[in-house]
Amino acid sequence: VRRALPEDQPGIVPSLYGARAGHRTSARLARERGGRQTEQMANPSAAAAGRARRVRVRMTRAERREQLIDVARGLFAERGLDGTSVEEIAAHAEVSKPVVYEHFGGKEGLYAVVVDREVRTLQTAIRAALTTPRVGARRLIELGTLALLDYIDAYPDGFAIISRGSSATSHEGSFATILSDVASQAEDLLAAEFANRSFDPALAPMYAQMLVGLVGLVGQWWLDTRETTPLDKQVVAAHVVNLAWNGMRHLEVAPRLGRPRVTLVSDPDE
């Protein structure tokens, strides 16, 4: 008697074969799941990383814009405009390059936004300090110095950008321009002090540039060296004010350079 093949008894044998095949498939899937669970238990960090990759964070347009600005700020501070590419910005933000172009038109547009935001933040802080009501001239110098150091302490990347470069689209982002703006605010304060002490008020703009330049350069020095020369900003501000205020208190009405001493050196051959 010939043994019946599956095609001879389509109603019975195929179902038997299918049951066996299904049993083997279920067993294989169970073994695979068990293996993955064992691997995840042995390396939980890898499992968490895998889940993080699978979960894609969706942001609103405004949230994505802010994320790109934050990412770019750090890259621009570290590498500058020329040393940063759109590819790097997109990679750090985990987006594609077209997303950067869509929001800012390119890295130059993004850089201009970063610089403008930092400039506004710093200018607002210093203007608020210099317009504090009912305080003396020394206290205004203290407040202005602390406003700059506070900004450097809170936004080191922002200060690095505006102090070492300028806007890609405008000269208004340069640190020199910011200091000039602050100096113009200090002119009126110094002019009033000069008038009270019989100094020429017309010299106030020059002294304002000196004073603001002193504070600005010390701020840059503090940012660059505070890892190797850790000085608290209150200490730095106190020394800046010490030099600026005590120097101004002893200004001469008509200063002159010291007359150089003439030294006659005889020629030994004579």
Side-chain angles (χ1 to χ4, degrees), residues 8 31 48 50 54 62 77 86 90 115 120 125 137 145 153 176 179 218 232 248 250 268:
D8 294 334
R31 287 194 301 271
R54 289 193 298 270
V86 174
V115 169
R120 290 177 183 274
T145 302
D153 194 27
L179 294 183
V218 171
D232 183 79
M248 292 180 65
H250 298 90

Side-chain angles (χ1 to χ4, degrees), residues 120-151 181-183 185-186 189 211-212 215 237 241:
R120 290 177 183 274
T121 301
L122 178 56
Q123 286 181 330
T124 299
I126 294 180
R127 284 172 180 169
L130 294 180
T131 55
T132 303
R134 296 183 297 277
V135 296
R138 178 189 175 107
R139 183 55 181 163
L140 287 177
I141 296 175
E142 292 177 353
L143 292 174
T145 302
L146 283 172
L148 175 62
L149 296 182
D150 283 341
Y151 171 79
D181 178 70
V182 175
Q185 300 176 57
L189 302 175
L211 180 61
V212 173
V215 177
V241 175

Side-chain angles (χ1 to χ4, degrees), residues 14 16 28 64 140 157 160 162-163 169 173 205 212 232 243 253 267:
L16 178 61
R28 186 176 68 254
R64 180 65 71 189
L140 287 177
D157 286 346
I162 63 177
S163 64
T169 59
V212 173
D232 183 79
L243 174 60
V253 176
D267 190 341

Side-chain angles (χ1 to χ4, degrees), residues 5-245:
L5 297 176
E7 58 267 25
D8 294 334
Q9 300 181 23
I12 299 176
V13 178
S15 62
L16 178 61
Y17 274 56
R20 291 176 179 174
H23 175 73
R24 288 195 298 268
T25 302
S26 300
R28 186 176 68 254
L29 292 174
R31 287 194 301 271
E32 292 175 353
R33 284 196 297 268
R36 286 195 297 269
Q37 292 173 356
T38 303
E39 181 181 356
Q40 292 172 359
M41 292 176 63
N43 191 357
S45 60
R51 288 194 298 272
R53 285 192 298 268
R54 289 193 298 270
V55 177
R56 187 174 183 85
V57 178
R58 298 186 63 86
M59 298 183 183
T60 64
R61 182 176 179 83
E63 291 172 340
R64 180 65 71 189
R65 179 182 175 86
E66 290 300 315
Q67 182 216 18
L68 291 172
I69 292 174
D70 289 340
V71 167
R73 182 187 294 109
L75 292 173
F76 288 143
E78 179 183 355
R79 307 175 188 180
L81 174 62
D82 295 334
T84 304
S85 66
V86 174
E87 290 84 353
E88 289 174 315
I89 297 172
H92 280 75
E94 298 183 345
V95 298
S96 61
K97 288 170 54 179
V99 174
V100 180
Y101 288 110
E102 177 186 355
H103 283 271
F104 302 100
K107 70 172 184 177
E108 289 79 9
L110 179 51
Y111 185 79
V113 171
V114 171
V115 169
D116 180 71
R117 180 171 294 191
E118 297 304 321
V119 167
R120 290 177 183 274
T121 301
L122 178 56
Q123 286 181 330
T124 299
I126 294 180
R127 284 172 180 169
L130 294 180
T131 55
T132 303
R134 296 183 297 277
V135 296
R138 178 189 175 107
R139 183 55 181 163
L140 287 177
I141 296 175
E142 292 177 353
L143 292 174
T145 302
L146 283 172
L148 175 62
L149 296 182
D150 283 341
Y151 171 79
I152 295 173
D153 194 27
Y155 308 102
D157 286 346
F159 184 75
I161 292 171
I162 63 177
S163 64
R164 296 169 186 164
S166 59
S167 172
T169 59
S170 173
H171 67 280
E172 296 178 356
S174 68
F175 188 50
T177 303
I178 297 173
L179 294 183
S180 180
D181 178 70
V182 175
S184 66
Q185 300 176 57
E187 288 177 14
D188 294 337
L189 302 175
L190 292 179
E193 288 293 321
F194 280 17
N196 293 334
R197 302 188 182 203
S198 301
F199 291 106
D200 184 1
L203 297 175
M206 180 178 66
Y207 277 90
Q209 292 287 341
M210 297 178 193
L211 180 61
V212 173
L214 166 65
V215 177
L217 288 176
V218 171
Q220 288 182 301
W221 170 84
W222 184 57
L223 174 64
D224 294 335
T225 64
R226 60 180 180 168
E227 291 186 1
T228 57
T229 308
L231 289 175
D232 183 79
K233 62 185 174 183
Q234 296 285 340
V235 174
V236 176
H239 283 282
V240 169
V241 175
N242 180 41
L243 174 60
W245 178 251

